[in-house]
Amino acid sequence: MQTIVIDSHTFAIELAGFDQPLRVAMQARSGSETDEVVLPPWTCARHLSSLRRHLHTAGRRLALDSAGYADDVLDRAQVPASQRAVLRPLALWWARGLAPGDQDGEQDGISLRPDARGRVMLRPGLWAHLRPWTWGERLAAQRARLASAAPRAAVPETTSAGELGFDPVGYLESMLAASLVHLESEAGVAVGLGSLDVLDAQVTHRLLAAVGALNHPAAGAGDPLAEVPPALAAATLRLCATMGWTLDQVLARPSSEVARLLALLERVETAGSAGAGMAAPRASTAASRPLAPRRSRLADHPDAVVIVFGDEAGGMS
Amino acid sequence: MPIVFSANHSSLLVDGDPLEGVQSLAFRVDTERENVRAIGADERVDVSFGLRTVRGELIVRSTATVLDDKLAQRAGFNMVATLKKGQGTDDPQRSYAFDDCYVESKHLAMGASGTAETTYVFTATRMREE
């Protein structure tokens, strides 16, 4: 047995891992004996289910009914009502999945940042292969969760204050489904995900923290583009549009090469605007099509069927 | 005039894997044809149709490594272009499937103010519209 102090309450527990039941010694009313409460492992599926019941949006903030959430944890152990007030802090700690001595962000000294192969260790022998979700997936999740209260309604359901209703747990589930490619063992063998009931609280916390950091990094957390001056932001976007590079590709280029490219672009545009007989090249934007090379294309053939991908004007015929 | 489709939420799959950066896909179906003549007649008496092939051009932003490999290895592949106007189930949807495709050549173009793009010329045994 070990003791743990939560919110000034001392509990005697027997912790064998978050994937095993937690045994809690309770002082019996008679005083001389101890009762034992056994909390079963708190799984990812139950965590999300309880969040859905007890997490609410209040304006721009999220509010959790912690007592209700803790009671869901204690329901699983069939704890009598007389003991719940005492055990609620412990129940919240158990559902949190943070072992004594661990710090948020790194647990057991294991980083939650994906390695070069996109893997995060959830526990020894279990890895999660993650990928960032795309902008399209994020927009689809936001749209679905804003209108989730009234499917296919012309106007999303609004709260009494006139603000849009939002389902944060559904949004989290969409992000998790998109970002978790698969679970795998130490040897890289894919492990069947099955249901979220196989993930205990500690693994759940690590997984959700890693997915959240991957898709919603903290502002200024090592991002060189955070709060960059407008001139440098414009130069970066110009390279993206001109060279067809992503932001990460621009940042990965040697700085001398980037400076030379920007200087060349500046010379071309300056020569064009000075009326040196060369038409000023149009700046490419994300919405405009690139200049077509001077060669015959199949698309010019009268019998050709041409399919244009992207947000071009026009419709299917 | 060529038939031009423009669609949001469209995708192109090469052997089942999505291909990123696709700008446009153009194809043309060619069917060999021969007029059958007859002595003493000044009109054709029949038409003989021969081999039907599909020829296409795929334009990709920057480059597509998977198609470069197909060209280098002279390997065949299947391609499916799925066109959708939206993500709803009621939105119009059309699919073009190209079977037994081979990349024959590629052409890279990059303008000073344009965007680098590669054109892959391919042929296919058949094209199915669904």
Side-chain angles (χ1 to χ4, degrees):
Chain A
M1 281 284 180
Q2 63 183 95
T3 57
I4 184 172
V5 178
I6 303 171
D7 284 352
S8 306
H9 296 277
T10 302
F11 300 94
I13 63 172
E14 185 176 325
L15 176 65
F18 286 89
D19 57 341
Q20 301 296 324
L22 176 73
R23 299 185 182 280
V24 186
M26 299 288 297
Q27 196 72 27
R29 288 183 175 272
S30 61
S32 59
E33 298 177 351
T34 57
D35 290 336
E36 186 178 76
V37 172
V38 178
L39 297 182
W42 187 244
T43 65
C44 182
R46 294 194 176 275
H47 170 65
L48 294 175
S49 173
S50 291
L51 277 184
R52 189 176 295 282
R53 284 194 295 274
H54 302 295
L55 186 66
H56 309 285
T57 52
R60 292 173 179 265
R61 306 175 68 88
L62 290 175
L64 175 68
D65 174 16
S66 56
Y69 185 97
D71 283 343
D72 281 357
V73 180
L74 296 175
D75 281 345
R76 290 269 294 154
Q78 299 177 343
V79 173
S82 58
Q83 295 179 326
R84 293 202 172 194
V86 174
L87 287 174
R88 281 195 185 112
L90 182 68
L92 291 177
W93 169 83
W94 178 238
R96 177 74 164 78
L98 194 63
D102 284 345
Q103 296 293 327
D104 218 354
E106 279 197 14
Q107 295 169 299
D108 297 339
I110 301 171
S111 174
L112 292 176
R113 292 182 181 179
D115 60 14
R117 290 194 289 167
R119 302 193 316 166
V120 172
M121 180 189 282
L122 301 179
R123 65 165 177 250
L126 182 65
W127 294 75
H129 196 130
L130 303 179
R131 68 164 180 89
W133 67 343
T134 64
W135 185 247
E137 290 169 334
R138 177 175 169 176
L139 290 180
Q142 286 176 328
R143 185 182 67 177
R145 302 309 167 184
L146 275 173
S148 60
R152 296 204 173 269
V155 177
E157 186 175 296
T158 58
T159 64
S160 58
E163 297 176 339
L164 288 173
F166 182 63
D167 177 13
V169 180
Y171 181 83
L172 178 62
E173 289 175 339
S174 299
M175 185 166 57
L176 183 62
S179 295
L180 179 59
V181 180
H182 60 254
L183 297 176
E184 58 185 40
S185 64
E186 184 71 40
V189 178
V191 175
L193 179 59
S195 72
L196 295 177
D197 276 335
V198 304
L199 304 179
D200 59 62
Q202 187 178 47
V203 168
T204 298
H205 173 72
R206 289 181 178 176
L207 177 61
L208 294 180
V211 169
L214 185 63
N215 295 309
H216 289 278
D223 184 2
L225 295 175
E227 299 182 7
V228 70
L232 291 180
T236 306
L237 289 175
R238 192 176 172 188
L239 281 174
C240 291
T242 303
M243 305 304 295
W245 290 341
T246 63
L247 284 174
D248 286 339
Q249 285 175 314
V250 174
L251 294 175
R253 293 287 169 180
S255 62
S256 58
E257 178 184 336
V258 172
R260 290 172 67 192
L261 278 169
L262 290 173
L264 283 175
L265 288 172
E266 190 68 32
R267 282 173 57 188
V268 167
E269 292 187 1
T270 303
S273 62
M278 181 171 60
R282 290 181 293 109
S284 240
T285 65
S288 66
R289 297 180 62 184
L291 293 174
R294 293 288 182 181
R295 59 182 286 270
S296 61
R297 285 187 167 182
L298 185 61
D300 299 329
H301 199 281
D303 291 340
V305 175
V306 181
I307 303 169
V308 178
F309 290 78
D311 294 332
E312 297 286 339
M316 294 177 62
S317 61
Chain B
M1 288 293 290
I3 304 172
V4 180
F5 288 89
S6 174
N8 297 319
H9 307 290
S10 56
S11 64
L12 185 74
L13 304 179
V14 175
D15 284 339
D17 295 324
L19 187 64
E20 302 292 335
V22 178
Q23 300 293 293
S24 68
L25 169 66
F27 67 91
R28 181 165 166 257
V29 179
D30 287 330
T31 305
E32 293 178 350
R33 176 189 56 82
E34 183 176 359
N35 296 322
V36 179
R37 306 162 187 268
I39 296 176
D42 57 1
E43 294 180 344
R44 66 185 185 188
V45 296
D46 204 348
V47 179
S48 172
F49 289 97
L51 196 65
R52 176 177 296 169
T53 56
V54 179
R55 184 176 179 81
E57 287 185 356
L58 182 64
I59 300 178
V60 180
R61 184 183 291 270
S62 291
T63 185
T65 308
V66 63
L67 295 179
D68 293 337
D69 293 341
K70 297 295 183 186
L71 175 62
Q73 298 165 9
R74 300 179 185 178
F77 59 97
N78 295 321
M79 194 162 58
V80 178
T82 304
L83 313 180
K84 296 175 69 175
K85 283 295 285 182
Q87 291 190 334
T89 55
D90 296 333
D91 290 322
Q93 179 173 325
R94 192 174 295 186
S95 175
Y96 290 92
F98 300 86
D99 300 334
D100 302 330
C101 303
Y102 288 88
V103 180
E104 297 191 346
S105 64
K106 71 174 183 179
H107 172 80
L108 175 68
M110 183 168 66
S113 61
T115 307
E117 58 183 29
T118 304
T119 302
Y120 295 91
V121 178
F122 67 94
T123 56
T125 299
R126 71 188 69 84
M127 186 277 297
R128 292 176 287 114
E129 182 178 342
E130 300 167 359

